[in-house]
Amino acid sequence: MKTEIETIRGETPGVTYELIVHRFAGSEDAAPHVYIQAALHADERPGVAALHYLIPMLQDAEAQGHVKGSITIVPHANPIGAAQHLFSNHLGRFSGATRVNFNRDFPVPEADGNRRLDDAGSASFAEKRLKSRLLELADPCPIVLDLHCDDEGLQYLYVPEDLWPEMAVLAACLDAEAALLWDQGSDRAFEEAVFEQMRAKAKASGGDLSGHCISTVELRGQLDVDPGRARKDAEGLFGFLQARGVVTGASTTAPELRQDFCGKPIRNVDMVDAPAGGTILFHVAPGDRVKVGQLLAEIIVSPGVEDGVAKVQATQAGLVLTRRARRFIRMGDNLMKIIGENAVVEGYQGALED
Ligand SMILES: [Zn+2]
């Protein structure tokens, strides 16, 4: 493994950010190239913990000559967001400079596929340079994984509908509990920007997307960071690399999807928003199956007062995928995501949330 520390220029004199890039060369040109990053939302750490265990596994494999495809790993994909602390609170999802979500607005490629990479003369925010660089690292690879997590949630994947069910092997290796299949987007998340380029390249050579993989991998919730889960996730990622011929050796992770696996189009996701602001009392948790009319949560608006609680009930049967981690909420903020049996909207234009 070779490690490079790249520099992302800041906006003011004396400010720069370091992007650590690990590379495994791979011994066969024909084997798939892989790119994996974690903590693009800088406050999401399960992916970083998984890579902490995956990197030594790959080093061992490399020492034994088992790494066939080149692998690039960026364990801290967002040094800008990692440095954003305000009065002791870390703010890792949105840029303090532009208020843009760090996983939105990735640059549009030019006709020749160039990502408008920054040059010495360009004037833009550091996060634009960072996003361009991350795409430049990912673009040559048919397998790209972006490791995130939710507030509190199951382990689930976002997958382009065009790559399903072929990508079910990733869900099986990771022991994922659900997948959301998307078919359109408009806000240029990393996954969407990478897939757009994959599709354009495939179109130029006949349109065959087999062997391609791009996923936003949601490794449960923000607090689900511990050695057991991180090791299991690393083994799952390693097993997937074996399944795709990037690393040789038989995968020891399960080749089959879990029996209770729930893979549905993203339009089946019911974004349950808070009807009132207040203190949340949840009555269900991620993983629960709910029925129509079931009480999901109460929001205490006026404590101890008759009618001082807003009740939230399920509008259709489904699986609780995520819920808000903090127990104070504003009216209109998202309370939970439920994967319903049926489509609840015709389609989402872009991401489910800001
Ligand atoms: Zn995220």
Side-chain angles (χ1 to χ4, degrees):
M1 181 179 86
K2 287 200 173 124
T3 299
E4 281 175 54
I5 300 178
E6 301 189 6
T7 300
I8 307 288
R9 281 191 298 120
E11 293 93 3
T12 50
V15 176
T16 56
Y17 301 93
E18 290 184 346
L19 190 68
I20 298 168
V21 182
H22 301 302
R23 284 194 177 85
F24 297 86
S27 57
E28 290 180 12
D29 280 350
H33 292 203
V34 176
Y35 174 78
I36 306 175
Q37 69 179 23
L40 177 59
H41 285 141
D43 51 353
E44 298 174 356
R45 295 286 146 178
V48 176
L51 293 180
H52 173 66
Y53 291 104
L54 179 66
I55 290 167
M57 291 168 74
L58 291 172
Q59 285 178 299
D60 285 350
E62 185 177 50
Q64 295 169 52
H66 291 170
V67 177
K68 302 297 176 191
S70 83
I71 304 168
T72 303
I73 295 182
V74 177
H76 287 127
N78 186 0
I80 301 168
Q84 287 189 161
H85 287 79
L86 185 67
F87 305 126
S88 300
N89 284 315
H90 182 219
L91 305 170
R93 185 173 181 84
F94 293 91
S95 160
T98 62
R99 293 183 284 179
V100 173
N101 184 320
F102 282 114
N103 193 20
R104 306 286 185 270
D105 280 355
F106 272 79
V108 179
E110 298 193 36
D112 62 0
N114 192 308
R115 291 292 194 176
R116 297 176 195 274
L117 289 175
D118 177 53
D119 57 42
S122 75
S124 68
F125 287 101
E127 68 201 62
K128 285 274 181 199
R129 289 187 278 281
L130 174 69
K131 288 172 180 174
S132 290
R133 183 61 186 140
L134 296 177
L135 286 178
E136 191 183 50
L137 290 166
D139 274 343
C141 302
I143 297 174
V144 177
L145 300 176
D146 187 16
L147 308 182
H148 286 248
C149 70
D150 214 294
D151 256 28
E152 292 181 8
L154 301 181
Q155 199 216 78
Y156 69 100
L157 314 174
Y158 288 94
V159 177
E161 237 169 29
D162 290 351
L163 299 183
W164 194 264
E166 197 192 355
M167 269 182 58
V169 64
L170 175 66
C173 287
L174 285 171
D175 197 26
E177 291 152 295
L180 300 180
L181 314 178
W182 59 270
D183 62 345
Q184 58 185 332
S186 60
D187 45 16
R188 306 201 59 73
F190 176 80
E191 176 184 354
E192 191 187 323
V194 169
F195 185 56
E196 184 182 83
Q197 196 75 328
M198 275 183 185
R199 199 155 41 185
K201 271 195 219 164
K203 201 172 170 186
S205 56
D208 184 10
L209 281 165
S210 57
H212 286 73
C213 166
I214 168 68
S215 180
T216 306
V217 179
E218 302 282 353
L219 294 171
R220 309 173 202 84
Q222 284 192 319
L223 295 184
D224 295 327
V225 184
D226 60 64
R229 278 182 277 214
R231 230 182 239 121
K232 182 184 175 193
D233 291 341
E235 284 163 5
L237 291 167
F238 192 83
F240 173 66
L241 297 179
Q242 290 177 313
R244 283 291 175 97
V246 180
V247 178
T248 52
S251 167
T252 55
T253 51
E256 299 289 334
L257 290 170
R258 321 163 46 108
Q259 292 232 315
D260 58 353
F261 181 80
C262 179
K264 296 279 187 189
I266 200 167
R267 50 191 170 272
N268 285 38
V269 174
D270 193 358
M271 296 293 285
V272 181
D273 294 334
T279 302
I280 306 166
L281 299 177
F282 281 116
H283 287 260
V284 294
D288 287 350
R289 305 254 165 190
V290 298
K291 296 176 186 160
V292 180
Q294 186 172 335
L295 181 64
L296 303 173
E298 295 172 285
I299 298 171
I300 304 169
V301 180
S302 301
V305 175
E306 198 179 355
D307 298 328
V309 167
K311 293 187 175 180
V312 183
Q313 288 162 311
T315 56
Q316 69 163 313
L319 171 71
V320 179
L321 183 67
T322 71
R323 69 181 187 185
R324 182 183 174 89
R326 284 153 293 154
R327 298 303 192 247
F328 181 46
I329 194 163
R330 294 183 301 183
M331 181 190 292
D333 279 344
N334 184 251
L335 195 58
M336 56 176 63
K337 300 186 194 84
I338 294 179
I339 307 179
E341 293 301 318
N342 304 303
V344 293
V345 294
E346 280 189 18
Y348 287 103
Q349 292 286 337
L352 289 175
E353 51 204 329
D354 291 340

